[in-house]
Amino acid sequence: MDSLIHRLQALLRADQCLVGLDIEPRYLGDTMEKLSGALPLAVVRPESVAQVSAILRSCNDAGVGVVPQGGATGLAGGATPAGDCIVLSLERMRGVEEIDPAARTLTAWAGTPLQAVQEAAWDAGFFYPVDIGGRGSCQIGGNVATNAGGNRVIRYGMTRDQVLGLEVVLADGTVLTSLNKMMKNNAGYDLKQHFIGSEGTLGVITRVVLRLQPQPRSTCTALCAVSGYEDVLRLLQALQGSLGNALSAFEVMWPDFYELITTRVPGRPAPLAQGHGAYVLIEASGSDAARDQALFQAALEGVLEQGIVEDAVIAQSQAEARRLWAIRDGSGEFRSVFWPHVGFDVSLPAGDIGRFVAACTDAVRRRWPEAKTVFFGHVGDSNIHIGVKAGEGDQPTDDIDAIVYGLVRDWAGSVSAEHGIGLLKRHYLRYSRSEEEIALMKRIKRTLDPRNILNPAKIFEMQ
Amino acid sequence: MDSLIHRLQALLRADQCLVGLDIEPRYLGDTMEKLSGALPLAVVRPESVAQVSAILRSCNDAGVGVVPQGGATGLAGGATPAGDCIVLSLERMRGVEEIDPAARTLTAWAGTPLQAVQEAAWDAGFFYPVDIGGRGSCQIGGNVATNAGGNRVIRYGMTRDQVLGLEVVLADGTVLTSLNKMMKNNAGYDLKQHFIGSEGTLGVITRVVLRLQPQPRSTCTALCAVSGYEDVLRLLQALQGSLGNALSAFEVMWPDFYELITTRVPGRPAPLAQGHGAYVLIEASGSDAARDQALFQAALEGVLEQGIVEDAVIAQSQAEARRLWAIRDGSGEFRSVFWPHVGFDVSLPAGDIGRFVAACTDAVRRRWPEAKTVFFGHVGDSNIHIGVKAGEGDQPTDDIDAIVYGLVRDWAGSVSAEHGIGLLKRHYLRYSRSEEEIALMKRIKRTLDPRNILNPAKIFEMQ
């Protein structure tokens, strides 16, 4: 170990290689899971691909684990150091390297904050569509490593769908430069796919080439109330017919969520009465402001007339749109109105989500009659978030996990829709993936990282 | 070998295991490359996943290569048998198994023709957007294995972007069932990505789950003439601003192509005069026929007023739209007006395509002063097709390849945009992919197919 630290210190300046008490707490975990054991051996902050390569080569030679870190805004413990390891922060490899307007691409260093990517794209006349709450501090490399999702997946896809090229450093220090800018490239295996969403277990991403979209010129927003989940599905189908691909968000809030936010969070009054079966926040974006608003209005009138929607409010200004979004984004206020609780990010075949929510609520209430739940999420992408609060004070996390993940397994869903597996959901990976699938994941891990140094023990334990 | 055939004959009915003279010629190659050596040992036509698994296990035990075949409409020799091998045709595993309207997915057996997938989706009120010329005979499994592209990639992406789930049989017969229906699923590695576009070298796809799109309710079509490539790019940018994601095709024809089709192919008169710098076929699709046509018209008037477009014709009926498309689709008539020739499917960073076309034309003419060329393709996706005819009669294929692929390498392009590498482009793979990338491809191949039985010698040779 000591010789590894010496080797790293020889490669890097003192401020690039922190040890002992110089290691700031922010390196010790992500949003959800903090380090519980001894400090990492060092935190390294490389400033070039060559340095990343030299660090990995050294760690691989020494057989010491490396935990890659972006903005550490994750919710699954994926960036949390564990055991004797080196934390590799990408924070000093930041900045947009190039925007190619003809190719409609943006090339950025992995440590660039998402928001900086969004702003650079916008300033150049384009749009980078992925958006998540941590935009100011999360990093684009982390977004790629975890295949980040967010609100606009229904229209633009996840981070995977935005990535055209990657530069990755492999466990042995090999630099794999595939900075492709072309939408179509079928020359051999599409290697970048291996690294996207692999949570830093197969390589360290150093640069990314992203596809850019045309800027939307209009945004229309509405909140609808429907009688129940079957009408949520009818509404989605009707709007996809009338608005087509313009539909850019379809966020469903169950009554428990809606009531909690609009009655308990200050400054978020209910735009529609309590008591409906579900509430749906709808956004459409297009290229012609005047025409798009009229089309949106007509689409909403259509679903009201058909009786799919019981009540609706259409935002007439950006301020009104923000007020509607503030209800959905009220999940950011859980710390003051729904704490502590156990949170979930799961996906299910869309047709089953309504019955799943009912079954899940029942199962929780049978066990803890006083339990409170919240259900909300990106139903257009089959993804819901769940919060369960069995009672006041410390939560019986393992028991709640067992109930909810057990139902997800029974209903053929995924235990992680967008947050990843990290450390925290490893036990439940097998609820969503077969033995054969997990065995193949391990074969691939072994091939790309034979000494198991890259984010070891994340997603699954190697033995 | 004989014992393998006996084992296969024990697994299958006689009509499922053809040998010797019973092997029909259609199994002996794809559109471009026919078998040159001895007949395959057998052609097997399994009817279930269990049969595919048993066949692969037997071949793996025997160390005999297996060439998976879909509709064999490829252009790179990927489905062509080579050496002592078994051809595994998926043609008897066909049919749409399920359409889930709530999840907006279609599940089909690999041998289902693309057109049957498109029609089943449409009949259920949805749209499957990938479309290629071979739609009637190509199979969805082959589309996935080769990551098929086509004309609408600019809006909907390639086949990869449509695939939510896969069932794959690995070399040793392991059945990997990942029939995911959810748009978001970050539970561990996204294994299906390994198989998409790997041309049958890593596994045999048996079932696919595809994402469906809303049906477009309008289609607007126009042909524009511009002064040169810089204006092609300006036009693309302007239309992406005014039409946004409604733009569903942006097909460029250079003057050599346009003139050839409109003067030599009967029944395809020129809708716009000869002599412009480039011709662009534009299609937009949306959800409101009346409004969309007005918006499209306004967008076209805008680019005419700005001087980006020199002349344009907007289709006023479906028949007119078909006549405009018939010019672009005139490439299907090469056999009568441009034969023999050497064809290419390459991609290049979009900003460079104009200069690349000029450089490529020059290089060919310097070598063969009488040479004829055609350039056309999906510029919105950085993809162009090229035809080179050095003179009458047999073509100096290797010399033409060397010139064109050499330029693609120099301009940092891809030697295969959408057709794949197969047998025919193996030599040029290293023009577009680095040594490190190819080495990693081989490591992955070795991991998934240690005995090298799956479509051996395609994409690259293992040693």
Side-chain angles (χ1 to χ4, degrees), chain B residues 259-306:
Chain B
E259 192 189 334
L260 178 75
I261 302 302
T262 57
T263 64
R264 301 280 312 283
V265 181
R268 317 227 178 169
L272 297 170
Q274 309 292 342
H276 293 282
Y279 299 83
V280 189
L281 182 71
I282 291 156
E283 187 189 87
S285 57
S287 56
D288 186 302
R291 270 186 267 226
D292 292 336
Q293 183 76 21
L295 185 68
F296 188 72
Q297 187 112 15
L300 268 290
E301 283 163 10
V303 289
L304 273 161
E305 278 164 23
Q306 291 169 67

Side-chain angles (χ1 to χ4, degrees), chain A residues 171-200:
Chain A
D172 64 2
T174 302
V175 178
L176 197 79
T177 302
S178 307
L179 295 172
N180 168 66
K181 286 185 181 181
M182 297 163 295
M183 295 250 302
K184 285 182 177 170
N185 188 345
N186 274 348
Y189 303 164
D190 190 358
L191 297 172
K192 65 177 179 287
Q193 304 295 347
H194 294 66
F195 303 100
I196 300 168
S198 67
E199 304 190 39

